[in-house]
Amino acid sequence: MNRRYLVLLGLGALVVLTGCLGGGGPSDEELNRNATYDWNTTANGTIWISENSYKSVYRIDNRTHFSVYQRDTFNNRNPLPIRALKFRYPNGTVVNATAFEVNTNDDRTRMELPNRTGRLAFTADKNGKSVRTPTFADGSYEVVLPRSTNVGIPLLSRVNPGGYERDRVDGRVHLRWSDTDSDTLLIEYYLDRDILIFGGFFGLLLLVAIGGSAYYWRQIRTLEKRREEVGLDVEDEDDPRDQGPPPGMG
C-alpha cells in the first residue's frame, strides 16, 4: 500500500467523518410542521419556553436573510435544528416554509426571507430546565417561562445577561430586556415545587447540624465531668510547691 493511497484513504475518511459530525439540515417535513405563534409581541426577539421546546418570534426590519445556529461544548457553531417555520407579513398574512429558501452548511441554517419586513417564527427543541440561544436580533428581548416556574434563587436558577425586568402575566413569568448587547441568552429556571424540595433539604441539613452540635457538646460535657471525678481538674491546696519557701529562707 503506497503513500498516495494512504493519503486518499485518509481524506475520504475525513470527509465521511465531517459529514457525520455536521449532520444535515432540517427536512421539508420538519420545516412545514404546524405550530401556533403569538405574533402580538413588541420585542425584537421573543421566546416562549415550554416543557420540551421553545418558540421564537423575531422582528424583521429591512433584511433579506436570517441565519440561526447553536454552540456546542467547545463553543463551535452548528446548525440549529428548527421546525414549523413561518413568516407573517405586515398586513397579517402568514405563510409557512414553502415561502422560504432554506440552506444549511456546516455551522448554520440560512433562510432567504419572503419579505424584507415582517416577523419570522420557528420552534426548536431544548433539554432540561434551561435554554441557551444566541441573540439573533439586536435590541429588546422577552422570554416567557413555562407555567409554575420561576427564576431568582441563585442556587436553582441563572439568567444572563442581567438587567432584566420580571413580572408574572396570566400565570407565567416574563423576563424583559429593553436592550441587550450580549451575544447569548441563558435562562436556567426552576419549578415552583423545587423550592419546597430545596427548603426541605436545607431544613434537614439544618436539623442534622443542630443534632450533631448537640451530640458533640454532650460528649465534651461528659468528658469534663469524668476529669473532675478523677481529680484531673482539682488543684491540691496542700502541695508544698504552692506554699512558698520555709520560714527563715528568702
Side-chain angles (χ1 to χ4, degrees), residues 65-106:
H65 65 274
F66 197 92
S67 297
V68 295
Y69 58 89
Q70 60 186 350
R71 293 191 180 274
D72 59 18
T73 306
F74 304 101
N75 204 34
N76 297 318
R77 289 185 180 183
N78 293 304
L80 178 65
I82 62 174
R83 62 178 182 270
L85 180 61
K86 292 189 177 184
F87 189 90
R88 184 179 185 270
Y89 287 87
N91 63 6
T93 301
V94 177
V95 294
N96 62 11
T98 57
F100 292 77
E101 181 180 343
V102 181
N103 298 292
T104 301
N105 56 26
D106 291 339

Side-chain angles (χ1 to χ4, degrees), residues 180-195:
T180 176
D181 56 1
S182 175
D183 60 356
T184 302
L185 278 180
L186 172 62
I187 312 296
E188 295 178 353
Y189 58 91
Y190 55 83
L191 300 175
D192 289 341
R193 67 170 181 264
D194 290 344
I195 300 178

Side-chain angles (χ1 to χ4, degrees), residues 140-143 145 150-154 157-167 173-180 185-190:
S140 59
Y141 268 83
E142 180 175 0
V143 175
L145 302 184
N150 209 335
V151 295
I153 299 179
S157 64
R158 184 159 59 127
V159 178
N160 186 53
Y164 58 89
E165 297 180 358
R166 178 180 59 177
D167 61 356
V173 172
H174 291 236
L175 309 176
R176 297 185 177 91
W177 293 260
S178 59
D179 190 15
T180 176
L185 278 180
L186 172 62
I187 312 296
E188 295 178 353
Y189 58 91
Y190 55 83

Side-chain angles (χ1 to χ4, degrees), residues 10-173:
L11 289 176
L14 181 61
V15 170
V16 172
L17 181 60
T18 302
C20 292
L21 292 177
S27 65
D28 291 340
E29 181 181 1
E30 288 293 306
L31 291 175
N32 285 288
R33 285 179 59 176
N34 189 34
T36 301
Y37 297 103
D38 184 0
W39 304 103
N40 297 320
T41 174
T42 58
N44 290 349
T46 306
I47 299 173
W48 289 267
I49 304 176
S50 59
E51 183 177 359
N52 299 312
S53 63
Y54 63 94
K55 297 178 178 180
S56 300
V57 173
Y58 290 95
R59 181 196 301 271
I60 302 300
D61 186 15
N62 196 27
R63 298 181 62 170
T64 59
H65 65 274
F66 197 92
S67 297
V68 295
Y69 58 89
Q70 60 186 350
R71 293 191 180 274
D72 59 18
T73 306
F74 304 101
N75 204 34
N76 297 318
R77 289 185 180 183
N78 293 304
L80 178 65
I82 62 174
R83 62 178 182 270
L85 180 61
K86 292 189 177 184
F87 189 90
R88 184 179 185 270
Y89 287 87
N91 63 6
T93 301
V94 177
V95 294
N96 62 11
T98 57
F100 292 77
E101 181 180 343
V102 181
N103 298 292
T104 301
N105 56 26
D106 291 339
D107 64 354
R108 67 186 64 203
T109 298
R110 178 186 172 99
M111 294 160 279
E112 298 293 335
L113 303 173
N115 196 59
R116 299 179 67 94
T117 304
R119 292 187 182 274
L120 167 74
F122 60 82
T123 301
D125 290 331
K126 74 175 186 68
N127 294 318
K129 293 177 288 187
S130 67
V131 168
R132 179 190 294 269
T133 177
T135 49
F136 298 123
D138 297 329
S140 59
Y141 268 83
E142 180 175 0
V143 175
V144 183
L145 302 184
R147 293 186 181 278
S148 302
T149 66
N150 209 335
V151 295
I153 299 179
L155 293 178
L156 298 179
S157 64
R158 184 159 59 127
V159 178
N160 186 53
Y164 58 89
E165 297 180 358
R166 178 180 59 177
D167 61 356
R168 188 180 293 270
V169 180
D170 296 330
R172 302 183 66 172
V173 172

